[in-house]
Amino acid sequence: MLNKLRVISGLIAVLALLGGCDTRPPPIIRGEYPVPEDAMVTEPPPGEYGGLFIVSETTQPTTFNYYVPNDLTTAVVLGRMFAGLTDFDPMKGEMVPALAKSWEIGEDQKSYTFHLREGIKWSDGAPFSADDVVFTFNLIVAEREDPETGEMVPIYPTRQYEDFKYENGTLSCEKIDDYTVIFRTPDIYAPFMFDIMGLPIMPKHKLAASNDDETFMKMWSTQTGIENPSEIVGTGPFVLESYRPGERLILKPNPHYWKVDSKGQRLPYVDRLIMKFVGDSNTSIISFATGQTSIAGVGPSDVSWVQRNEKEFDFTLYERGPSTSVSMIWFNLNPGKNEEGIPYVEPYKMAWFQNKLFRQAMFYAFDREAVIDAVFFGRGKPLDSMVAEAQGDWFNPNVRKYRYNPAKARELLAEAGFTWNPAGKLIGPQGNTVEFNLLIPAGGSSWESMVVTYKENLSDIGVTMNITPVDFATLIRRIDYTMDYEAGVIGWGSSSAAYDPSGSKALYMSSGIYHLWHPKQETPATPWEAKIDKLFTEQEGTLDLKRRQELMHEVQAILAEESPLILLASVQGYVGVQNHWRNFTIPPAGSTTWNIEEIWTDRPLDDPDN
């Protein structure tokens, strides 16, 4: 009886999410369209249709156009609605076919021929072909001449534009026939296959006009998702059914999806994928631990109490091992000025931040072991490199390490010309008391706990750090665009970067838009950044994996020595999943719902026997 009451309660909550409690949601119509002749047949045992897969998210999509700069939540949503030529199977650890059924690399190692699946259709029924692939990549690399500088600049400032600009030219994409395309790179470029992996192909028939009049970046905004979701057309497993900002986003199966199981059933199995928007990560975990959502990542500090609910709410908490994501604090080293001519950072503070000894001292002053014990209950260890240890041979274990050593911090500060007044306050070389403001994401209890410890640590050596929580959108705007901040904290990681550091190119390269401490440099601001640029470019230019890893070890050593990033902790990852979900496999890194189209439930909500 108790179980039935829970199911009824859950159904009422779901009906409310779907728009009303008086009727059941409209049925999903399947089998109306023929399966493509080149459909991909999946390996897991066949499942059954039905069920609602519900997740909580603390942030909302900023666009439904993948090539408009966006955040992780946006990328996750769009990853369900669009597909690329290839994908990555995290369980096998290898690239696998997607819209392309096969490919070959030319003898010159600079040409790549892809053979597309025949018979695929977009979610609106229009045929998919090589024209869509060429359209997408031509759009990414489209350029115009800047009338003021004479330089070639992107028409659309996508994150991918720089990925396909090489030392001796730009990527080209040519149609051979309706189901064959060939890419050519002017240089040997090792990460090319990695760079296109999962990169969404866009529908030419829907977006060509916006490309012609250069309004592409305005297409498929969040307003489109609210008012006309069917206008957003993809080849992924789901299409957008509805979007209510601040409440929920609902995806339903793409009726033309190109994957089937061994019985010939078109995927995905679930009737709907629902994202509930919540205020913070605590609410997300509570929702899962009380049976309201299907899956949730769980932080080390929440493991014990969440596990106590496993039996009552019929879920299991799994340990994933060390995270491949990294988190860091950094100082704003951008010497520029805002539109009013005011420096982003007070010049005397900029002098502190640009001093390597100061940055190293700030690293030594942080008792990260205490943070791990207190905040993460010992489930982790200090990060020593931008490349996490979980990334295997890419990780350099021999970099300079910063363990808590306030005496060393004081020694470095004294060497850099800092002094202490009688009250114990640190005084900079120009006579200013050392005080700065740190931006942190609001609503994340672990962030707040970590930086409170850091604040106390810095106080012990005479430094005042003020903590300023802001919502995530504001944080991103200030660190990426207005530069109105002194120091920031953020997590960095993605499923792609977990397997090849080129996924974090925009952070490593001085010209990168995510080169946190000083992004989008026209030329490297320091010799050590120039050295990193050279090493990173060199590792991209060889297919010798061992050599690439050696070069990335050098990059890590430079970053550790120069310490533009005060790295925090590598913590154990955990994920909770309701026990009724089948075909669920948890990869060592990346998204835990990487195979969402194959996941099914043996307990759909509309089953009267539950």
Side-chain angles (χ1 to χ4, degrees):
M1 174 61 72
L2 183 59
N3 187 45
K4 287 191 175 182
L5 287 174
R6 287 195 186 118
V7 170
I8 292 171
S9 175
L11 180 57
I12 291 172
V14 167
L15 289 173
L17 277 173
L18 292 171
C21 299
D22 53 340
T23 61
R24 288 178 177 270
I28 300 299
I29 306 300
R30 291 184 170 96
E32 283 192 350
Y33 306 106
V35 171
E37 57 187 276
D38 269 341
M40 180 176 179
V41 181
T42 58
E43 297 177 2
E48 298 177 4
Y49 290 129
L52 307 172
F53 198 90
I54 306 172
V55 299
S56 294
E57 286 290 347
T58 58
T59 56
Q60 303 176 56
T62 58
T63 177
F64 290 99
N65 183 342
Y66 184 86
Y67 293 101
V68 172
N70 56 66
D71 57 17
L72 180 59
T73 295
T74 305
V76 169
V77 172
L78 299 183
R80 309 305 184 204
M81 299 169 61
F82 295 89
L85 296 176
T86 64
D87 209 341
F88 191 84
D89 186 325
M91 303 306 294
K92 296 179 179 179
E94 62 185 30
M95 191 175 297
V96 295
L99 295 176
K101 59 185 177 181
S102 62
W103 57 86
E104 303 100 35
I105 301 176
E107 292 185 6
D108 62 356
Q109 299 183 345
K110 295 189 290 186
S111 59
Y112 304 79
T113 303
F114 288 83
H115 306 280
L116 309 181
R117 297 183 188 278
E118 299 187 26
I120 291 181
K121 295 183 183 299
W122 292 93
S123 56
D124 63 354
F128 165 80
S129 74
D131 290 328
D132 297 300
V133 180
V134 174
F135 167 76
T136 299
F137 284 90
N138 283 349
L139 182 148
I140 292 171
V141 301
E143 295 179 315
R144 69 154 66 92
E145 184 177 309
D146 186 316
E148 295 183 2
T149 66
E151 296 180 354
M152 298 305 294
V153 296
I155 294 176
Y156 309 116
T158 69
R159 288 185 294 180
Q160 292 73 29
Y161 172 77
E162 290 293 338
D163 290 343
F164 300 123
K165 288 281 290 182
Y166 310 108
E167 186 174 353
N168 294 306
T170 303
L171 175 73
S172 68
C173 179
E174 176 186 353
K175 172 184 175 180
I176 304 302
D177 57 44
D178 282 347
Y179 297 104
T180 312
V181 294
I182 184 168
F183 293 92
R184 293 185 176 88
T185 60
D187 311 304
I188 294 176
Y189 182 71
F192 172 74
M193 289 296 296
F194 170 83
D195 285 347
I196 67 164
M197 185 175 65
L199 200 60
I201 304 301
M202 307 300 276
K204 180 179 180 180
H205 72 286
K206 297 292 290 186
L207 298 172
S210 70
N211 184 41
D212 292 340
D213 62 17
E214 298 184 7
T215 60
F216 173 76
M217 301 299 277
K218 298 179 181 179
M219 295 297 291
W220 293 353
S221 66
T222 53
Q223 201 63 30
T224 309
I226 296 168
E227 298 176 352
N228 194 11
S230 62
E231 182 66 18
I232 303 167
V233 174
T235 54
F238 295 94
V239 296
L240 181 62
E241 182 173 62
S242 65
Y243 173 46
R244 291 184 180 177
E247 296 180 23
R248 56 36 174 187
L249 180 148
I250 301 177
L251 300 176
K252 64 181 180 179
N254 175 357
H256 293 282
Y257 192 47
W258 43 273
K259 286 187 183 181
V260 299
D261 65 17
S262 58
K263 285 185 177 180
Q265 298 181 113
R266 177 177 254 127
L267 304 182
Y269 294 115
V270 299
D271 283 348
R272 284 172 176 83
L273 172 57
I274 301 173
M275 299 177 67
K276 296 196 308 180
F277 301 121
V278 297
D280 53 49
S281 58
N282 289 334
T283 304
S284 177
I285 294 172
I286 291 170
S287 294
F288 171 75
T290 53
Q292 300 175 57
T293 56
S294 304
I295 185 173
V298 177
S301 59
D302 294 303
V303 167
S304 297
W305 77 264
V306 171
Q307 280 182 324
R308 291 196 292 270
N309 285 17
E310 282 185 325
K311 186 175 181 180
E312 181 178 0
F313 290 99
D314 194 25
F315 66 81
T316 300
L317 192 63
Y318 300 91
E319 182 176 338
R320 300 187 67 190
S323 173
T324 56
S325 297
V326 296
S327 50
M328 69 281 285
I329 292 171
W330 74 96
F331 297 103
N332 185 354
L333 301 184
N334 191 325
K337 300 178 181 180
N338 63 22
E339 294 179 353
E340 288 73 41
I342 300 172
Y344 296 135
V345 177
E346 289 279 0
Y348 69 88
K349 291 188 178 183
M350 179 60 71
W352 307 339
F353 299 163
Q354 289 179 335
N355 190 317
K356 177 177 75 172
L357 297 179
F358 175 85
R359 298 194 301 268
Q360 289 177 339
M362 296 302 100
F363 212 156
Y364 278 117
F366 195 177
D367 191 352
R368 296 179 295 159
E369 291 88 344
V371 167
I372 292 166
D373 289 339
V375 179
F376 302 118
F377 294 82
R379 298 184 175 102
K381 59 183 181 179
L383 271 170
D384 293 318
S385 171
M386 177 61 201
V387 176
E389 188 173 352
Q391 292 179 246
D393 291 339
W394 290 106
F395 169 69
N396 182 356
N398 300 314
V399 299
R400 178 171 181 163
K401 296 175 175 61
Y402 295 83
R403 295 297 181 263
Y404 181 53
N405 190 338
K408 179 68 173 177
R410 286 177 173 271
E411 175 187 323
L412 290 170
L413 289 168
E415 183 180 345
F418 290 78
T419 57
W420 286 263
N421 68 16
K425 295 293 185 180
L426 185 66
I427 307 300
Q430 297 181 37
N432 306 96
T433 301
V434 177
E435 179 176 354
F436 63 87
N437 299 316
L438 175 70
L439 287 184
I440 72 167
S445 60
S446 62
W447 285 122
E448 293 171 4
S449 299
M450 283 191 285
V451 299
V452 164
T453 297
Y454 190 34
K455 177 183 175 73
E456 294 170 353
N457 294 156
L458 291 180
S459 178
D460 291 340
I461 62 168
V463 175
T464 299
M465 183 179 78
N466 304 308
I467 300 171
T468 306
V470 294
D471 66 84
F472 192 74
T474 300
L475 176 73
I476 295 301
R477 184 174 66 253
R478 290 176 67 174
I479 66 177
D480 281 355
Y481 301 105
T482 68
M483 304 296 167
D484 177 24
Y485 76 102
E486 293 176 346
V489 62
I490 204 167
W492 179 271
S494 68
S495 56
S496 57
Y499 304 107
D500 189 311
S502 289
S504 295
K505 179 177 181 177
L507 186 148
Y508 287 108
M509 297 291 286
S510 63
S511 60
I513 60 174
Y514 298 121
H515 192 69
L516 293 171
W517 57 94
H518 184 183
K520 295 178 281 191
Q521 299 175 24
E522 293 185 8
T523 57
T526 62
W528 59 269
E529 287 171 291
K531 178 66 172 177
I532 288 176
D533 286 356
K534 180 176 182 297
L535 292 168
F536 200 90
T537 301
E538 186 178 345
Q539 68 86 21
E540 290 179 331
T542 176
L543 300 185
D544 183 337
L545 180 59
K546 184 177 181 181
R547 179 58 181 158
R548 291 188 66 202
Q549 290 169 343
E550 290 173 349
L551 292 166
M552 285 307 302
H553 282 203
E554 289 189 57
V555 169
Q556 293 167 67
I558 293 172
L559 285 172
E561 175 63 26
E562 298 296 335
S563 57
L565 302 170
I566 298 174
L567 301 170
L568 302 181
S570 172
V571 298
Q572 295 295 105
Y574 299 85
V575 61
V577 185
Q578 290 180 338
N579 290 327
H580 60 87
W581 292 106
R582 300 290 178 256
N583 287 347
F584 199 96
T585 54
I586 301 173
S591 171
T592 51
T593 53
W594 65 278
N595 65 330
I596 183 64
E597 66 271 23
E598 299 171 344
I599 296 173
W600 63 281
T601 177
D602 61 10
R603 198 181 69 196
L605 285 174
D606 56 0
D607 185 347
D609 295 328
N610 278 297

PDB file of all heavy atoms in Angstrom, residues 72 83 88 112 148 197 222 248 259 280 298-299 352 457 489 516 555 570:
ATOM      1  N   LEU A  72      27.039  24.697 -19.515  1.00  0.00           N
ATOM      2  CA  LEU A  72      26.973  23.242 -19.465  1.00  0.00           C
ATOM      3  C   LEU A  72      25.542  22.733 -19.541  1.00  0.00           C
ATOM      4  O   LEU A  72      25.258  21.776 -20.271  1.00  0.00           O
ATOM      5  CB  LEU A  72      27.648  22.733 -18.188  1.00  0.00           C
ATOM      6  CG  LEU A  72      27.653  21.206 -17.990  1.00  0.00           C
ATOM      7  CD1 LEU A  72      28.356  20.517 -19.150  1.00  0.00           C
ATOM      8  CD2 LEU A  72      28.321  20.851 -16.667  1.00  0.00           C
ATOM      9  N   ALA A  83      22.591  15.662 -32.964  1.00  0.00           N
ATOM     10  CA  ALA A  83      23.601  14.606 -33.066  1.00  0.00           C
ATOM     11  C   ALA A  83      24.748  15.079 -33.944  1.00  0.00           C
ATOM     12  O   ALA A  83      24.590  15.992 -34.765  1.00  0.00           O
ATOM     13  CB  ALA A  83      22.983  13.330 -33.643  1.00  0.00           C
ATOM     14  N   PHE A  88      31.149   9.397 -28.587  1.00  0.00           N
ATOM     15  CA  PHE A  88      32.148   8.720 -27.769  1.00  0.00           C
ATOM     16  C   PHE A  88      31.441   7.768 -26.814  1.00  0.00           C
ATOM     17  O   PHE A  88      30.499   8.154 -26.128  1.00  0.00           O
ATOM     18  CB  PHE A  88      32.989   9.718 -26.980  1.00  0.00           C
ATOM     19  CG  PHE A  88      34.192   9.109 -26.316  1.00  0.00           C
ATOM     20  CD1 PHE A  88      35.372   8.934 -27.019  1.00  0.00           C
ATOM     21  CD2 PHE A  88      34.142   8.686 -25.000  1.00  0.00           C
ATOM     22  CE1 PHE A  88      36.487   8.368 -26.418  1.00  0.00           C
ATOM     23  CE2 PHE A  88      35.243   8.120 -24.386  1.00  0.00           C
ATOM     24  CZ  PHE A  88      36.422   7.954 -25.100  1.00  0.00           C
ATOM     25  N   TYR A 112      39.847  13.583 -44.234  1.00  0.00           N
ATOM     26  CA  TYR A 112      38.969  12.679 -43.485  1.00  0.00           C
ATOM     27  C   TYR A 112      37.667  12.522 -44.260  1.00  0.00           C
ATOM     28  O   TYR A 112      36.940  13.505 -44.473  1.00  0.00           O
ATOM     29  CB  TYR A 112      38.669  13.250 -42.094  1.00  0.00           C
ATOM     30  CG  TYR A 112      39.904  13.569 -41.271  1.00  0.00           C
ATOM     31  CD1 TYR A 112      40.638  14.741 -41.492  1.00  0.00           C
ATOM     32  CD2 TYR A 112      40.323  12.708 -40.269  1.00  0.00           C
ATOM     33  CE1 TYR A 112      41.766  15.038 -40.730  1.00  0.00           C
ATOM     34  CE2 TYR A 112      41.450  13.000 -39.497  1.00  0.00           C
ATOM     35  CZ  TYR A 112      42.158  14.161 -39.741  1.00  0.00           C
ATOM     36  OH  TYR A 112      43.269  14.456 -38.988  1.00  0.00           O
ATOM     37  N   GLU A 148      38.175  47.893 -39.898  1.00  0.00           N
ATOM     38  CA  GLU A 148      39.113  48.752 -39.174  1.00  0.00           C
ATOM     39  C   GLU A 148      40.527  48.186 -39.170  1.00  0.00           C
ATOM     40  O   GLU A 148      41.499  48.920 -39.309  1.00  0.00           O
ATOM     41  CB  GLU A 148      38.640  48.958 -37.739  1.00  0.00           C
ATOM     42  CG  GLU A 148      37.328  49.724 -37.633  1.00  0.00           C
ATOM     43  CD  GLU A 148      36.936  49.972 -36.193  1.00  0.00           C
ATOM     44  OE1 GLU A 148      37.704  49.586 -35.285  1.00  0.00           O
ATOM     45  OE2 GLU A 148      35.861  50.568 -35.967  1.00  0.00           O
ATOM     46  N   MET A 197      33.816  15.317 -32.680  1.00  0.00           N
ATOM     47  CA  MET A 197      33.039  14.289 -31.990  1.00  0.00           C
ATOM     48  C   MET A 197      31.861  14.918 -31.254  1.00  0.00           C
ATOM     49  O   MET A 197      32.034  15.774 -30.390  1.00  0.00           O
ATOM     50  CB  MET A 197      33.940  13.535 -31.022  1.00  0.00           C
ATOM     51  CG  MET A 197      33.309  12.364 -30.314  1.00  0.00           C
ATOM     52  SD  MET A 197      34.551  11.506 -29.312  1.00  0.00           S
ATOM     53  CE  MET A 197      34.963  12.768 -28.106  1.00  0.00           C
ATOM     54  N   THR A 222      15.702  31.224 -26.409  1.00  0.00           N
ATOM     55  CA  THR A 222      14.820  30.623 -25.405  1.00  0.00           C
ATOM     56  C   THR A 222      13.369  31.013 -25.664  1.00  0.00           C
ATOM     57  O   THR A 222      12.448  30.258 -25.332  1.00  0.00           O
ATOM     58  CB  THR A 222      15.231  31.049 -23.990  1.00  0.00           C
ATOM     59  OG1 THR A 222      15.315  32.490 -23.931  1.00  0.00           O
ATOM     60  CG2 THR A 222      16.579  30.458 -23.616  1.00  0.00           C
ATOM     61  N   ARG A 248      10.121  24.085 -15.612  1.00  0.00           N
ATOM     62  CA  ARG A 248      10.565  22.812 -16.155  1.00  0.00           C
ATOM     63  C   ARG A 248      10.733  22.889 -17.670  1.00  0.00           C
ATOM     64  O   ARG A 248      10.240  23.803 -18.341  1.00  0.00           O
ATOM     65  CB  ARG A 248       9.606  21.688 -15.791  1.00  0.00           C
ATOM     66  CG  ARG A 248       8.153  21.732 -16.128  1.00  0.00           C
ATOM     67  CD  ARG A 248       7.547  22.220 -17.162  1.00  0.00           C
ATOM     68  NE  ARG A 248       6.235  22.224 -17.612  1.00  0.00           N
ATOM     69  CZ  ARG A 248       5.956  22.712 -18.795  1.00  0.00           C
ATOM     70  NH1 ARG A 248       6.911  23.216 -19.538  1.00  0.00           N
ATOM     71  NH2 ARG A 248       4.726  22.750 -19.229  1.00  0.00           N
ATOM     72  N   LYS A 259      18.173   5.428 -34.280  1.00  0.00           N
ATOM     73  CA  LYS A 259      18.654   4.270 -33.533  1.00  0.00           C
ATOM     74  C   LYS A 259      17.485   3.350 -33.207  1.00  0.00           C
ATOM     75  O   LYS A 259      16.393   3.813 -32.846  1.00  0.00           O
ATOM     76  CB  LYS A 259      19.339   4.690 -32.232  1.00  0.00           C
ATOM     77  CG  LYS A 259      20.716   5.293 -32.407  1.00  0.00           C
ATOM     78  CD  LYS A 259      21.376   5.523 -31.046  1.00  0.00           C
ATOM     79  CE  LYS A 259      22.729   6.197 -31.180  1.00  0.00           C
ATOM     80  NZ  LYS A 259      23.386   6.390 -29.850  1.00  0.00           N
ATOM     81  N   ASP A 280      18.958  25.348  -5.962  1.00  0.00           N
ATOM     82  CA  ASP A 280      20.350  25.060  -5.644  1.00  0.00           C
ATOM     83  C   ASP A 280      20.575  23.556  -5.631  1.00  0.00           C
ATOM     84  O   ASP A 280      19.641  22.751  -5.748  1.00  0.00           O
ATOM     85  CB  ASP A 280      20.743  25.679  -4.303  1.00  0.00           C
ATOM     86  CG  ASP A 280      19.796  25.279  -3.178  1.00  0.00           C
ATOM     87  OD1 ASP A 280      19.517  24.068  -3.035  1.00  0.00           O
ATOM     88  OD2 ASP A 280      19.347  26.173  -2.441  1.00  0.00           O
ATOM     89  N   VAL A 298      25.692  13.170  -6.452  1.00  0.00           N
ATOM     90  CA  VAL A 298      25.689  13.403  -5.010  1.00  0.00           C
ATOM     91  C   VAL A 298      27.106  13.732  -4.562  1.00  0.00           C
ATOM     92  O   VAL A 298      28.053  12.990  -4.865  1.00  0.00           O
ATOM     93  CB  VAL A 298      25.157  12.174  -4.250  1.00  0.00           C
ATOM     94  CG1 VAL A 298      25.224  12.397  -2.739  1.00  0.00           C
ATOM     95  CG2 VAL A 298      23.717  11.867  -4.676  1.00  0.00           C
ATOM     96  N   GLY A 299      27.261  14.839  -3.865  1.00  0.00           N
ATOM     97  CA  GLY A 299      28.572  15.234  -3.376  1.00  0.00           C
ATOM     98  C   GLY A 299      29.003  14.404  -2.191  1.00  0.00           C
ATOM     99  O   GLY A 299      28.170  13.818  -1.479  1.00  0.00           O
ATOM    100  N   TRP A 352      50.011  43.066  -7.352  1.00  0.00           N
ATOM    101  CA  TRP A 352      50.073  41.862  -6.508  1.00  0.00           C
ATOM    102  C   TRP A 352      49.785  40.620  -7.346  1.00  0.00           C
ATOM    103  O   TRP A 352      50.540  39.651  -7.329  1.00  0.00           O
ATOM    104  CB  TRP A 352      49.026  41.896  -5.402  1.00  0.00           C
ATOM    105  CG  TRP A 352      48.975  43.078  -4.513  1.00  0.00           C
ATOM    106  CD1 TRP A 352      49.966  43.998  -4.263  1.00  0.00           C
ATOM    107  CD2 TRP A 352      47.834  43.490  -3.729  1.00  0.00           C
ATOM    108  NE1 TRP A 352      49.524  44.945  -3.371  1.00  0.00           N
ATOM    109  CE2 TRP A 352      48.229  44.660  -3.027  1.00  0.00           C
ATOM    110  CE3 TRP A 352      46.555  42.990  -3.543  1.00  0.00           C
ATOM    111  CZ2 TRP A 352      47.361  45.322  -2.160  1.00  0.00           C
ATOM    112  CZ3 TRP A 352      45.688  43.642  -2.683  1.00  0.00           C
ATOM    113  CH2 TRP A 352      46.079  44.803  -1.997  1.00  0.00           C
ATOM    114  N   ASN A 457      42.146  30.919   6.493  1.00  0.00           N
ATOM    115  CA  ASN A 457      43.567  30.662   6.260  1.00  0.00           C
ATOM    116  C   ASN A 457      44.299  31.952   5.900  1.00  0.00           C
ATOM    117  O   ASN A 457      45.404  32.232   6.404  1.00  0.00           O
ATOM    118  CB  ASN A 457      43.769  29.659   5.123  1.00  0.00           C
ATOM    119  CG  ASN A 457      43.261  28.270   5.428  1.00  0.00           C
ATOM    120  OD1 ASN A 457      42.944  27.510   4.514  1.00  0.00           O
ATOM    121  ND2 ASN A 457      43.163  27.917   6.708  1.00  0.00           N
ATOM    122  N   VAL A 489      35.942  31.929  -8.532  1.00  0.00           N
ATOM    123  CA  VAL A 489      36.061  30.496  -8.306  1.00  0.00           C
ATOM    124  C   VAL A 489      35.063  29.801  -9.210  1.00  0.00           C
ATOM    125  O   VAL A 489      33.950  30.301  -9.429  1.00  0.00           O
ATOM    126  CB  VAL A 489      35.802  30.125  -6.824  1.00  0.00           C
ATOM    127  CG1 VAL A 489      34.392  30.500  -6.397  1.00  0.00           C
ATOM    128  CG2 VAL A 489      36.027  28.630  -6.584  1.00  0.00           C
ATOM    129  N   LEU A 516      40.928  31.801 -18.166  1.00  0.00           N
ATOM    130  CA  LEU A 516      40.225  32.501 -17.099  1.00  0.00           C
ATOM    131  C   LEU A 516      40.881  33.787 -16.615  1.00  0.00           C
ATOM    132  O   LEU A 516      40.222  34.823 -16.476  1.00  0.00           O
ATOM    133  CB  LEU A 516      40.031  31.549 -15.907  1.00  0.00           C
ATOM    134  CG  LEU A 516      39.084  30.371 -16.143  1.00  0.00           C
ATOM    135  CD1 LEU A 516      39.161  29.385 -14.980  1.00  0.00           C
ATOM    136  CD2 LEU A 516      37.662  30.859 -16.326  1.00  0.00           C
ATOM    137  N   VAL A 555      53.234  21.433 -20.134  1.00  0.00           N
ATOM    138  CA  VAL A 555      52.232  22.480 -19.911  1.00  0.00           C
ATOM    139  C   VAL A 555      51.806  22.496 -18.450  1.00  0.00           C
ATOM    140  O   VAL A 555      51.740  23.562 -17.813  1.00  0.00           O
ATOM    141  CB  VAL A 555      51.011  22.262 -20.832  1.00  0.00           C
ATOM    142  CG1 VAL A 555      49.860  23.182 -20.414  1.00  0.00           C
ATOM    143  CG2 VAL A 555      51.387  22.503 -22.286  1.00  0.00           C
ATOM    144  N   SER A 570      40.318  17.274  -5.670  1.00  0.00           N
ATOM    145  CA  SER A 570      39.801  16.193  -6.509  1.00  0.00           C
ATOM    146  C   SER A 570      38.993  15.288  -5.595  1.00  0.00           C
ATOM    147  O   SER A 570      39.548  14.631  -4.705  1.00  0.00           O
ATOM    148  CB  SER A 570      40.954  15.406  -7.145  1.00  0.00           C
ATOM    149  OG  SER A 570      40.467  14.262  -7.814  1.00  0.00           O
TER     150      SER A 570
END
